[in-house]
Amino acid sequence: MKLDGIRVLDLSLFLPGPHFTMMMADHGAEVISLEPPTGEPVREIGLKQNGQSVWFRNVFRGKKSINLNLKSAAGKEAFYKLCETVDVVVEAFRPGVVSRLGIDYDSIKKINPKIVYCSISAYGQTGPKRLNPAHDLSIQADSGALQINQGKDGQPAQPAMPVADMAGSLMAFSGVLMALLRSQKTGQGDYIDISMQDSLVAWYANVMGPPFAENRSPVPQQERSWGGAAMYNIYQTSDGQHLTLGGSEIKFAKNLLTALDREDLITLCQQPPGQAQLPVKAFFETTFASQTLEYWCGFLANIDVCWSPVRSLNDAIHDEHLMQRDMLLTDDDGNLHLGVPVKYQQEPAQPKFRLPKFSEDTETLLRELGYSEQQITTMRKDNAFI
């Protein structure tokens, strides 16, 4: 697999870090999770299947679990020895914590100059907000994402997806892989400062027209992506279901409006999103409300237009298309897992579904690092690990 031979030491918790290191594990990396004494919190968060948290299963498969007390001399020494053997270190403490613990990048690169060290935090390692605590919702709110995520009432709505977390995960994944590639040529590692806010803001490429061109915030109901375009919108059907039109290119407008015998509205779809397209939106609202979702699925199936029914999450994840794409996997115990989105033709991912018990690999890893049984026993007595 692509990452065979790469060893990752992951100190992060919850979602961004564990998610991206799991993707590395899926592609062959050896990922060692250093859990706190209380364990990874998501082991106990949310619904469980066969005694295992579904969230934990979807960020932790294929990893090893260790525990080291980094506030003890023996635990820190073991950590340093481990860092000599790894290619990547990932941490997600609040800025400054790793320096106080003596496990920051400058300390680790003295031990291992090739180390790729990735820090993931809410606001990054610099700037006036660097020490502010924040999870996904606060980052979305502070970055403008929540203001543009409005309901029909024009009020900010609770976001359905943790996009700041996941943007941070993907940016960290990309950054680490680029640094590893460069390290192969130069023999030098690097430090990567990943801000969840930076990662989210970097996703704004297609919506920055009003702020950049006119120095104003967008009015979501008037913008193409958020309800201002008739051909890029959500419509209710007669049975209380919904469908979406998802492509505002004029060719799709022509195809759909011709099929609905309203060619006279085509020219309005060539106008900017907002007020000019209200008559088309009103027509679609009335039209789609006249029949059931099943009827419209049959009608739209033969028209070259971007559309989709609004499906429940449970129905969507069990869709035959995703099944054929291996995005829903089942292990030998019948547990469900999300699949691997990066699909190589050569050396495809081979996710390992086994989940480690808390700290089950600590003693094995210490032996690998050269510790004797007596030393390990002493370390346990001295609370260097659990």
Side-chain angles (χ1 to χ4, degrees):
M1 289 185 285
K2 301 299 185 190
L3 297 180
D4 282 343
I6 298 296
R7 178 177 254 192
V8 180
L9 176 57
D10 186 4
L11 285 67
S12 66
L13 304 172
F14 292 104
L15 192 52
H19 179 261
F20 104 76
T21 58
M22 184 197 69
M23 290 193 288
M24 295 187 75
D26 286 343
H27 290 280
E30 178 189 5
V31 178
I32 303 164
S33 177
L34 197 164
E35 298 189 61
T38 53
E40 160 65 72
V42 302
R43 284 181 178 271
E44 302 300 328
I45 294 178
L47 295 177
K48 294 185 177 182
Q49 184 182 24
N50 294 330
Q52 299 168 340
S53 159
V54 173
W55 181 349
F56 180 69
R57 186 185 308 137
N58 280 304
V59 295
F60 222 85
R61 66 182 178 222
K63 298 181 182 181
K64 295 179 179 179
S65 171
I66 66 170
N67 167 252
L68 293 172
N69 181 0
L70 298 178
K71 294 182 180 179
S72 75
K76 189 175 295 184
E77 180 184 3
F79 179 86
Y80 289 151
K81 286 186 176 182
L82 178 56
C83 285
E84 294 177 9
T85 74
V86 304
D87 303 282
V88 179
V89 171
V90 180
E91 65 91 7
F93 296 109
R94 201 178 300 192
V97 171
V98 290
S99 295
R100 291 195 294 273
L101 289 172
I103 59 170
D104 55 301
Y105 173 64
D106 288 338
S107 299
I108 302 306
K109 75 174 180 179
K110 294 176 183 176
I111 300 169
N112 183 352
K114 291 186 66 176
I115 199 74
V116 172
Y117 193 111
C118 180
S119 294
I120 305 172
S121 61
Y123 289 102
Q125 303 298 308
T126 60
K129 295 180 181 178
R130 60 187 289 271
L131 297 180
N132 288 11
H135 285 297
D136 182 89
L137 180 61
S138 297
I139 293 296
Q140 289 202 47
D142 199 29
S143 306
L146 206 58
Q147 187 272 328
I148 58 179
N149 184 61
Q150 295 183 3
K152 291 290 187 181
D153 59 0
Q155 299 300 310
Q158 189 83 13
M161 292 296 295
V163 292
D165 279 343
M166 299 312 289
S169 168
L170 295 178
M171 292 297 183
F173 190 33
S174 301
V176 165
L177 295 182
M178 285 190 283
L180 286 172
L181 181 63
R182 186 61 175 167
S183 179
Q184 291 177 356
K185 295 183 179 181
T186 66
Q188 296 296 312
D190 207 343
Y191 178 73
I192 308 169
D193 172 8
I194 296 292
S195 154
M196 290 162 53
Q197 184 179 51
D198 292 353
S199 301
L200 176 60
V201 169
W203 280 11
Y204 289 172
N206 68 319
V207 300
M208 293 306 294
F212 282 6
E214 298 180 346
N215 193 32
R216 64 173 178 86
S217 294
V219 179
Q221 293 88 348
Q222 303 296 318
E223 302 297 330
R224 182 188 68 84
S225 298
W226 305 317
M231 290 293 297
Y232 204 89
N233 228 309
I234 305 169
Y235 297 100
Q236 187 170 358
T237 56
S238 65
D239 52 353
Q241 302 295 309
H242 296 82
L243 61 82
T244 63
L245 298 179
S248 55
E249 296 93 325
I250 194 62
K251 64 179 179 180
F252 295 133
K254 289 179 179 178
N255 293 341
L256 179 57
L257 289 168
T258 297
L260 293 171
D261 296 323
R262 287 301 306 267
E263 293 94 330
D264 59 300
L265 295 176
I266 293 173
T267 57
L268 295 182
C269 292
Q270 295 175 305
Q271 302 301 310
Q275 201 72 22
Q277 294 200 23
L278 288 178
V280 190
K281 288 173 63 176
F283 168 70
F284 284 150
E285 288 171 357
T286 302
T287 300
F288 289 126
S290 69
Q291 298 286 351
T292 65
L293 179 61
E294 182 180 7
Y295 171 87
W296 289 116
C297 286
F299 180 89
L300 294 167
N302 298 315
I303 301 173
D304 184 28
V305 62
C306 297
W307 73 281
S308 178
V310 175
R311 308 168 75 183
S312 72
L313 179 59
N314 193 50
D315 287 344
I317 201 65
H318 288 89
D319 181 68
E320 178 61 27
H321 179 80
L322 287 178
M323 300 284 280
Q324 289 192 19
R325 296 282 299 169
D326 293 325
M327 285 307 298
L328 188 65
L329 306 175
T330 306
D331 63 26
D332 292 339
D333 296 322
N335 299 310
L336 296 175
H337 300 255
L338 293 174
V340 182
V342 181
K343 293 176 168 59
Y344 293 108
Q345 187 175 71
Q346 304 295 325
E347 301 176 317
Q350 297 178 27
K352 300 176 181 65
F353 298 125
R354 185 180 178 278
L355 295 176
K357 296 178 181 178
F358 170 71
S359 193
E360 73 173 21
D361 300 292
T362 303
E363 293 191 19
T364 299
L365 200 58
L366 290 172
R367 294 187 189 99
E368 179 188 313
L369 295 174
Y371 285 83
S372 67
E373 295 302 321
Q374 181 59 50
Q375 287 175 309
I376 293 173
T377 299
T378 300
M379 289 177 67
R380 184 183 288 277
K381 288 181 180 179
D382 292 343
N383 295 316
F385 70 91
I386 296 176

